Every structure is written in structure tokens, then in C-alpha cells.
């Protein structure tokens, strides 16, 4: 049906009529989108079945990537590209006077994630399939993804997201493969042929119904599966209020928790975590039994990866299955479990490390709690053998301590590999945050620097640049991102750089239109597009960016000789609904925008735009149009970042601290091809350990800072009164935890260098080209190849790229 445009059109029109009972003329774009989506999914299905069968019959080892978040964005455009049928569809639709782009844009983002962690999971799925690896995702089918953000009067307002309102063409409900997950109840002790055995009884059962989404690789017949679990009533209990049971059950897959780093102590969240884990594990084990008839070889044929600690109950859940159902001994079960499971750590922020109070955990998951206690008991005995009488060390390392279950400790003890997500992050884990564990298990800790799929963030998001690359170095880079290196030899080529500049301008024109449409603001498409898009968080320091803008505004007002290249500062960020400080910063950005944009003196040089509802589909238009990438977290706080990689791949230059993957960007592209500033992570750690930082000193000794901070509270912003006092206080009264004032001068300097560098376009686009050329390292194909080899020990039927 996709072999030529005529046959495509025929099937498309027929299907449209049959599905909607309307003529083509009467159909809406929504109808057309779903018709096309369903056609594509049906087209995929034979390869999907074949992949499943081949993976079963080859007895190939399977990987399951468990993640509480999958931030997929839209699927149609990427699927068409990966399947190689985009052109046929585009041509076919054009004859019918339909634009494919318009159809693509009606698709709701699958926004089942908060930010980097969820997007990483989505990028990994694309790389797994594209590298022909048997790797599947397991997640939750939240009815409402991350909230929709509206900006009203400069404030964030949250609305429930409704991605399933018009249905979802990509998913297949498989009710026959449902699984029961049990909560509450008791543990029964009984004798199993004279052996003490346990089982979970009197539980309240929730039905986990799988919805499978095919994951299509690029130019391959591999189609993996993303299995999302939906929570539904199992059988209605007679003893309980039926409506209440239904509500409580469905609540489990109703909302994604909109909290980015802080752990929320809600019992519903723990329920979600166990729901994901138990349904996934039971289903994995069931498939394994069908093929092998035993679980004794599970660790040889299955790898289970947990994305952060949210799915860490996979460890006790697998133990439960092996002990209570498979009747294995503790030692055998433990061997299989630890050899099966591996864990990625995503943060060293202590407030983000998950802990659960026993009084919540134990009644909700009685048998799982018992197993965690046993794991803890045995682990502490091992510690005692190695560190006799070192009470403090053992207490610090224990899984259960002070009436809390420490999820990261459970993850480390129960996995065979623990990885950080960038070199500096892994170093900090080893040397500081998890030092005790590293000393105890040195061989477990490894680094796997994050990556992004270049097929979405370059090939799909930036067709203009992709075409230029194909014309310049050929299209090998699509399959082998390291081939982008060939661009190095064009960095001095005047003609190439002119074209690169033209492409960037095209992308800037497109974003300018998006901005005009969304905000009404007219920006100068020739100005420097300086972009900070990411979750709003104190450690990411959007505030530093804003204070710099206020400083530029003041300079432009005070000094008529002060000139800058016109710049548009673009922000996009959601704040967690309960994160008071972050919401203040959003309001501040919008207040600064109001003043700056409406001032005739400054507005030719300075514009500030806050784009509402930052999400994957919007991100595609933003990264591709950026000249400057703001990666300005307090050193040591950003584990990796992946936004930094998307910018680089699209030729933006980084203004950044030596934090997360910025360090490796500097390594591959050279410090002279970016703008590095600020404290190093060692300097930050030194302040934290020894004190000695006084933010007041920077306030008193730097007039620029003084003026800007006074403007936060002196009525400079109309109708705001004491609105920004909490920000002022955080910087001065609370001694500026994230060293914003400390890094201010250094940041201003880096920005002055940006200003100068942009004046020399030839040099600028040389640097831009070099950034693109070196970005292949940050493809998730590289990351996934490393995971496959060093953690999962799986093979590809395709040659894995060696870098
Ligand atoms: C890449 C991405 C992120 C992560 O951005 P960071 O700058 O690494 O924090 C968050 N949200 C969306 C929509 C993304 O595409």
C-alpha cells in the first residue's frame, strides 16, 4: 500500500471512508491523521510479528528497559522516516491537496515523562530498534501525561493533558495478556513438603492490561515493543464499595507525577511503581517460561534495566517470583536476580534520592517488604564481615535505616552493574555520593554517557540541515553518526558555511513564525537566538540567565555607547506545580519580557520570549533554530543533560559550565569552540565542604548585581510589589545555594565573547560546523552499543558501530 503514490491514495481513501463513514471531502484533518496512522501501524504489523517470532526462535537474549517515564513526543513523522515511506505518503497526499505537515501537527505528543530521564528512554527505544537489538520498553499508560502549561498574566497555570482524547493509532490493547497485581493483604507462612514457604494472600488485585506500541527501527525490519500498562478493575470485590474500588484502581494509571527531581511521598506513586514492576516482571517471566520451560536460565536470556530507582522493586519482585512461585533457594534466586538486573543512576541531588517510610511500604506490599528486609539483613551481614564494628558505615549503607527504605541502596545491592550518565557524574558517584558502595563493589560502577537519537533530533527535526549534510558528506551519517566527522574538512569551506548559515536562517524564520503565532511577539529573525529550554529548577539556574538580561537592559538604558548584536532570549520550561520558587522564576522571566520588549530604547537589541508548554514537538522547532545553547547549571548538579547534545547537533554553540556532558562536549569539540564559564565542580564541592562563600560580598562589590537585585523588590516591575522577594531572599538571606551571584561576572564575560564571536560570521559558522561534526559521539546509537556490550551482553544481527 506504500509502494507507489497511486496505491497509497487508493487504500487511504477507501480506509478513510470505511472508518469514518464520510466522504474524503467531509473528513477532518483528525480523521485523515488517524486513517494514516492506522495504515502505518497495519503496515508495520507483519514485521512486528516476524520480529517477535524471530527473537523467540533464535533464543536471543532480550532486554527490557523499565522506566516510569517515556517522553515519546509524536510518532507519525518518525515512523514514516524510519520505514522509508515518507516521500510516497507526502506525494500521495499532495495530489489530494493535503499537507503531510498539517497532518503530523495534529498528533498529540505522547508526553509520558517530565524531562531528560523520560526522553532518554524514548531515544533508547529508537536506537535499540535501529541497531536491530531485541530491546523493549515497559512503562505505564498514563491517561494524562505531563500537564499542559498555560501562561496567564505571566504565571504558570496547569491544565490536565489529554493525549488520548481522540484515540491512539499506535497502540494495540492486548487484554488476553493481562496480569494481576496484588496490593495490601497478608503474608501466609505454610509448609511446602516440610520446607517453610511464603505467599501473599488476601490482597487487593488490580488488573494490568498491556497496550503495545510498535517501535520501528530506521531502515530495518526490526520492530520492537513498548508495552504500556493500564490499570483496570480485576474482578469487583463484593465486600467493598464498587465505585470506590473502580476509582482507586483506575487512579493508578491516571496521572504522571509532575515532579522532576523531588521525590513525592505519595502512596499512589509507590503503587504506580509496583504496578509497573510487577506487571512487567510477571509478563517477562511468562514469555520466558513459554520458550524455555524454566527460570533457571533467566539471567542468560533476559536483561532487565531499571531507569533510575522508580522501578527498583523489580529486584524484590523477581525474588518473590523465583522464591514463592518457582520455589528456588534464596541463593539461586539471588544469583539470577542480580545477574539479570542493572541500574542507571540519574542524580546526586540528595533531595531527589528516593526513600519510602516503612509504615507506608510494609502494609501496601507485605511480601515485598519481607524480601527487602531479608536482602538488607544479608547485606548487612556481609558488610559486618568486611567492616566489623564500623557501625556508622554499616548504618549509612544499609537498605533499611531510620524507618526508611532507601531505594538507591536496594538498586546497587541488587544489580550487577550501576552506571552514571556522564563521566563527571560517574566520578562524583564513585568519589562522593556512593563512595562507600564503590569501595565495596568497585567492579559494579561504570559510566555510560547519555545520548540522543540523531534520527529525531537531526534527521526528522531539521530536514533543511539533513539535506545540506547529505549533499556535502553523503547520507552515511544516518546509519553511522560518526560519519558526521567528515564535516570537519568543510569547516573552512566558505561555500559550505554560507549554506549552513542559510539553513540556520530558514530554521530561525520557522521558529519566528511559531513565536509570533503563540505569543504575538515579533522578533528579529536575524538576531542571535539564545535559548534555554529545560525543566525549571534552581540548579539549572534560569535565574542567572534572567539576571544577565536585566543587566544588559540596564546597560543599554544607561549608556548610549553600549552596543550589542541584537539578541532574542528564548525560554521554555515547566515548573512542578508545587515548586514555589520555580514558579516565581517563570513569572520573573515574563515580567522582564514585558519591560524589555516594550521599551523602544532596548527592543531593537533585546527581546525576551517565554514559550509556553515546552514539550518534544515544540523542542524540535526550538533546538534547530538556536544559535546559542544555555547549559548553565551549577557545576556538579546536572548529571548529564541531553538538551546540550541536541543543540550541538544542530550547530548551536554552547555557553556552559563544566558540568554533566558539557565536559565531554568540550573534550570532543575543544574549549575554543564553546563558551565555558563559572566555578568548577571541585570549587563548588570545596565551598560545600569548607564554607567560605558569602553571596553578600558579590552583591556589595559588583554594582551590576546590586542594581539588578534591587530591581527585584523596588517596584521596577509594574504591579509586582513584593512578588520577587523570595528570589531576592534566596540569593542574599539564604546565601545563594546555587552560586548564581558567584558565577555572574564570569557569565557576563562569556556572553560578551558570544557577542563578539557572532560579529565574525565566518568564524561563527566554522565553530558551528565543528560542533555538528563532533556530535556523532552523542548519538544514543553509541550509548546503546555500549550498554549492549558492557551491561546487557546482547548481540545485534547488525554490526554494532565501533567508535
Ligand atoms: C531533551 C529534553 C529535555 C532535557 O533537557 P535538559 O536540558 O537536558 O534538561 C527535557 N524536555 C524535553 C521536551 C526534551 O526534549
Amino acid at each position: 500500500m506504500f509502494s507507489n503514490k497511486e496505491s497509497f491514495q487508493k487504500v487511504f481513501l477507501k480506509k478513510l471512508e470505511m472508518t469514518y463513514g464520510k466522504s474524503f471531502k467531509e473528513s477532518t484533518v483528525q480523521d485523515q491523521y488517524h486513517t494514516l496512522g492506522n495504515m502505518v501501524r497495519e503496515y508495520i504489523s507483519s514485521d512486528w510479528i516476524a520480529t517477535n517470532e524471530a527473537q523467540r526462535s533464535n533464543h536471543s537474549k532480550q532486554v527490557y528497559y523499565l522506566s516510569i517515564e517515556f517522553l515519546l513526543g509524536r510518532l507519525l513523522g518518525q515512523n514514516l522516516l524510519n520505514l522509508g515511506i515518507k516521500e510516497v505518503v507526502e506525494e500521495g497526499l499532495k495530489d489530494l491537496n493535503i499537507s503531510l505537515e498539517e497532518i503530523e501537527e495534529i498528533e498529540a505528543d505522547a508526553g509520558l515523562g517530565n524531562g531528560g530521564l523520560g526522553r532518554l528512554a524514548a531515544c533508547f527505544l529508537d536506537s535499540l530498534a535501529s541497531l536491530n537489538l531485541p530491546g523493549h520498553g515497559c512503562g505505564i499508560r498514563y491517561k494524562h501525561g505531563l500537564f499542559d502549561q498555560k501562561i496567564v498574566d505571566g504565571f504558570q497555570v496547569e491544565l490536565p493533558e489529554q493525549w488520548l482524547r481522540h484515540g491512539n493509532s499506535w497502540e494495540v490493547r492486548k487484554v488476553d495478556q493481562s496480569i494481576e497485581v496484588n496490593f495490601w493483604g497478608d503474608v501466609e507462612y505454610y509448609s511446602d513438603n516440610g520446607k517453610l514457604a511464603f505467599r501473599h494472600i488476601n490482597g487487593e488485585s488490580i488488573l494490568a492490561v498491556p497496550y503495545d506500541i510498535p517501535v520501528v527501527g530506521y531502515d530495518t525490519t526490526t520492530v520492537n515493543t513498548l508495552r504500556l500498562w493500564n490499570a483496570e478493575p480485576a474482578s469487583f470485590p463484593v465486600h467493598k464499595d464498587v465505585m470506590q474500588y473502580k476509582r482507586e484502581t483506575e487512579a493508578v494509571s491516571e496521572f504522571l507525577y509532575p515532579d522532576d527531581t523531588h521525590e513525592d511521598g505519595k502512596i499512589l506513586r509507590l503503587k504506580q511503581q509496583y504496578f509497573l514492576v510487577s506487571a512487567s516482571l510477571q509478563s517477562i517471566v511468562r514469555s520466558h517460561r513459554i520458550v524455555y520451560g524454566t527460570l533457571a536460565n533467566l539471567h542468560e536470556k533476559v536483561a532487565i534495566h531499571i531507569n533510575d530507582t522508580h522501578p527498583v522493586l523489580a529486584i524484590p519482585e523477581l525474588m518473590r517470583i523465583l522464591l514463592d512461585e518457582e520455589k528456588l533457594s534464596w541463593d539461586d534466586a539471588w544469583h539470577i536476580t542480580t545477574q539479570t538486573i542493572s541500574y542507571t543512576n540519574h542524580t546526586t541531588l540528595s533531595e531527589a534520592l528516593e526513600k519510602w517510610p516503612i509504615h507506608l511500604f510494609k502494609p501496601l506490599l507485605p511480601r515485598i517488604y519481607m524480601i527487602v528486609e531479608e536482602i538488607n539483613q544479608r547485606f548487612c551481614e556481609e558488610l559486618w564481615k568486611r567492616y566489623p564494628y564500623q557501625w556508622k558505615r554499616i548504618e549509612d549503607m544499609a537498605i533499611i535505616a531510620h524507618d526508611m527504605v532507601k531505594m538507591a541502596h536496594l538498586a546497587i545491592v541488587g544489580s550487577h552493574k550501576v552506571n552514571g550518565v556522564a563521566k563527571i557524574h560517574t566520578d562524583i558517584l564513585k568519589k562522593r555520593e556512593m563512595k562507600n558502595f564503590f569501595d565495596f563493589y568497585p567492579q559494579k560502577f561504570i559510566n555510560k554517557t547519555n545520548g540522543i537519537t540523531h534520527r529525531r533530533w537531526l534527521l526528522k527535526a531539521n530536514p533543511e540541515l539533513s539535506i545540506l549534510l547529505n549533499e556535502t558528506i553523503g547520507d552515511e551519517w544516518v546509519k553511522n553518526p560518526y560519519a558526521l566527522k567528515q564535516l570537519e574538512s568543510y569547516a573552512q569551506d566558505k561555500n559550505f558555511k554560507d549554506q549552513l548559515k542559510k539553513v540556520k536562517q530558514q530554521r530561525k524564520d520557522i521558529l519566528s513564525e511559531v513565536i509570533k503565532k503563540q505569543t504575538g511577539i515579533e522578533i528579529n529573525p536575524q538576531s542571535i537566538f539564545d535559548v534555554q529550554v529545560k525543566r525549571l529548577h534552581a540548579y539549572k539556574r534560569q535565574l542567572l540567565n534572567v539576571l544577565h538580561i536585566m543587566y544588559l537592559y540596564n546597560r543599554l538604558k544607561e549608556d548610549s555607547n553600549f552596543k550589542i548584536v541584537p539578541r532574542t532570549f528564548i525560554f521554555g520550561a515547566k515548573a512542578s506545580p508545587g515548586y514555589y520558587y520555580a514558579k516565581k522564576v517563570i513569572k520573573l522571566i515574563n515580567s522582564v519580557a514585558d519591560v524589555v520588549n516594550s521599551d523602544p530604547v532596548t527592543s531593537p537589541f533585546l527581546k525576551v520570549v517565554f514559550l509556553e508548554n515546552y514539550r518534544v514537538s515544540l523542542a524540535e522547532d526550538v533546538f534547530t533554530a538556536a544559535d546559542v545553547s544555555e547549559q548553565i547549571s551549577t557545576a556538579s548538579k546536572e548529571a548529564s543533560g541531553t538538551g546540550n547534545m541536541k543543540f550541538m547537533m544542530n550547530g548551536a554553540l554552547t555557553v556552559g559550565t563544566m558540568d554533566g556532558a558539557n565536559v565531554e562536549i568540550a573534550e570532543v569539540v575543544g574549549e575554543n569552540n564553546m563558551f565555558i564559564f563559572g566555578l568548577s565542580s571541585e570549587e563548588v564541592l570545596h565551598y560545600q565542604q569548607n564554607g567560605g562563600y558569602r553571596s553578600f560580598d558579590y552583591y556589595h562589590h559588583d554594582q551590576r548585581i546590586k542594581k539588578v537585585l534591587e530591581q527585584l523588590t523596588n517596584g521596577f516591575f509594574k504591579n509586582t510589589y513584593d512578588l520577587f522577594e523570595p528570589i531576592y531572599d534566596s540569593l542574599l538571606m539564604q546565601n545563594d545555594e546555587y552560586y548564581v551571584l558567584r558565577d555572574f561576572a564570569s557569565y557576563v564575560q562569556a556572553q560578551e565573547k558570544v557577542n563578539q564571536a557572532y560579529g565574525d560570521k565566518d568564524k561563527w559558522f566554522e565553530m558551528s560546523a565543528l560542533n555538528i561534526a563532533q556530535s556523532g559521539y552523542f548519538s544514543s546509537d553509541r550509548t546503546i552499543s555500549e550498554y549492549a556490550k558492557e551491561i546487557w551482553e546482547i548481540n545485534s544481527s547488525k554490526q554494532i558501530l565501533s567508535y
Side-chain angles (χ1 to χ4, degrees), residues 434-452:
M434 303 292 174
K435 182 176 187 311
N436 284 340
F437 285 97
F438 176 59
D439 290 343
F440 192 66
Y441 298 123
Q443 73 296 340
K444 274 195 193 184
F445 285 77
I446 54 172
N447 177 246
K448 291 282 157 275
T449 299
N450 280 167
I452 55 167

Side-chain angles (χ1 to χ4, degrees), residues 184-446:
W184 312 107
D186 312 294
V187 178
E188 184 183 58
Y189 298 59
Y190 68 102
S191 164
D192 177 44
N193 289 324
K195 233 181 87 188
L196 179 62
F198 303 91
R199 64 185 160 216
H200 185 189
I201 58 161
N202 301 331
E204 188 175 288
S205 193
I206 292 182
L207 198 67
V209 179
Y211 283 71
D212 286 355
I213 296 176
V215 181
V216 181
Y218 182 85
D219 192 24
T220 160
T221 51
T222 298
V223 181
N224 290 329
T225 300
L226 169 59
R227 173 158 281 193
L228 299 177
W229 297 101
N230 198 49
E232 300 179 18
S235 47
F236 286 96
V238 275
H239 63 280
K240 209 170 162 174
D241 180 333
V242 168
M243 285 314 287
Q244 187 192 339
Y245 169 67
K246 185 171 185 295
R247 265 197 313 276
E248 282 175 7
T249 304
E250 288 169 355
V252 171
S253 59
E254 189 124 303
F255 287 98
L256 165 78
Y257 271 83
D259 215 312
D260 198 32
T261 54
H262 296 269
E263 260 328 307
D264 196 304
K266 292 270 171 56
I267 196 153
L268 182 58
R269 179 149 177 136
L270 187 58
K271 243 178 159 171
Q272 287 185 331
Q273 295 182 354
Y274 184 66
F275 173 75
L276 162 64
V277 153
S278 181
S280 303
L281 266 287
Q282 290 187 61
S283 138
I284 291 165
V285 160
R286 182 174 61 193
S287 304
H288 182 86
R289 274 208 188 97
I290 291 171
V291 179
Y292 301 98
T294 172
L295 299 187
N297 67 342
L298 187 77
H299 55 300
E300 287 157 13
K301 294 295 169 188
V302 169
I304 295 173
H305 199 90
I306 56 175
N307 191 22
D308 213 330
T309 55
H310 320 118
V312 74
L313 298 180
I315 292 163
E317 175 67 3
L318 183 51
M319 286 297 286
R320 183 191 67 77
I321 293 168
L322 295 172
L323 293 168
D324 298 1
E325 293 175 15
E326 196 74 2
K327 308 288 182 195
L328 293 186
S329 71
W330 181 276
D331 289 341
D332 289 345
W334 185 243
H335 177 75
I336 292 170
T337 299
T338 52
Q339 292 310 300
T340 301
I341 290 175
S342 48
Y343 154 62
T344 297
N345 173 284
H346 281 270
T347 183
T348 57
L349 297 183
S350 55
E351 68 269 29
L353 289 177
E354 255 192 305
K355 281 187 290 211
W356 288 96
I358 292 174
H359 70 89
L360 291 182
F361 193 127
K362 192 175 172 180
L364 183 69
L365 304 168
R367 177 61 181 141
I368 293 299
Y369 181 73
M370 234 179 120
I371 292 170
V372 173
E373 264 190 328
E374 184 69 24
I375 294 171
N376 181 53
Q377 181 70 31
R378 288 167 185 253
F379 176 57
C380 288
E381 280 165 21
E382 269 187 74
L383 289 175
W384 179 262
K385 273 187 235 155
R386 171 92 179 262
Y387 307 118
Y389 300 100
Q390 295 188 37
W391 303 104
K392 173 80 169 79
R393 183 194 287 252
I394 295 171
E395 181 186 324
D396 286 349
M397 294 177 75
I399 296 166
I400 302 174
H402 307 285
D403 300 323
M404 292 284 205
V405 182
K406 295 182 178 175
M407 306 300 244
H409 296 192
L410 178 57
I412 296 169
V413 174
S415 306
H416 62 98
K417 288 286 186 306
V418 177
N419 76 282
V421 290
K423 277 183 195 164
I424 186 175
H425 169 60
T426 303
D427 282 347
I428 291 171
L429 283 181
K430 289 187 194 174
K431 287 191 194 132
R432 290 173 50 89
E433 302 304 321
M434 303 292 174
K435 182 176 187 311
N436 284 340
F437 285 97
F438 176 59
D439 290 343
F440 192 66
Y441 298 123
Q443 73 296 340
K444 274 195 193 184
F445 285 77
I446 54 172

Side-chain angles (χ1 to χ4, degrees), residues 71 109 113-117 119-120 123 146 260 452 457 532-535 539-540 614-620 623 630-631 638 640-647:
L71 194 49
D109 276 45
N114 277 294
L117 174 147
R119 184 55 227 178
L120 184 76
C123 284
L146 184 60
D260 198 32
I452 55 167
W457 296 108
Q532 187 170 20
V533 285
K534 48 183 77 247
R535 283 301 288 260
Y539 83 82
K540 291 179 182 279
Y614 178 57
R615 62 197 186 285
V616 172
S617 57
L618 180 58
E620 292 174 26
F623 286 112
E630 297 276 352
Q631 307 301 333
E638 185 76 270
S640 162
T642 48
N644 44 5
M645 303 168 186
K646 300 168 197 165
F647 280 112

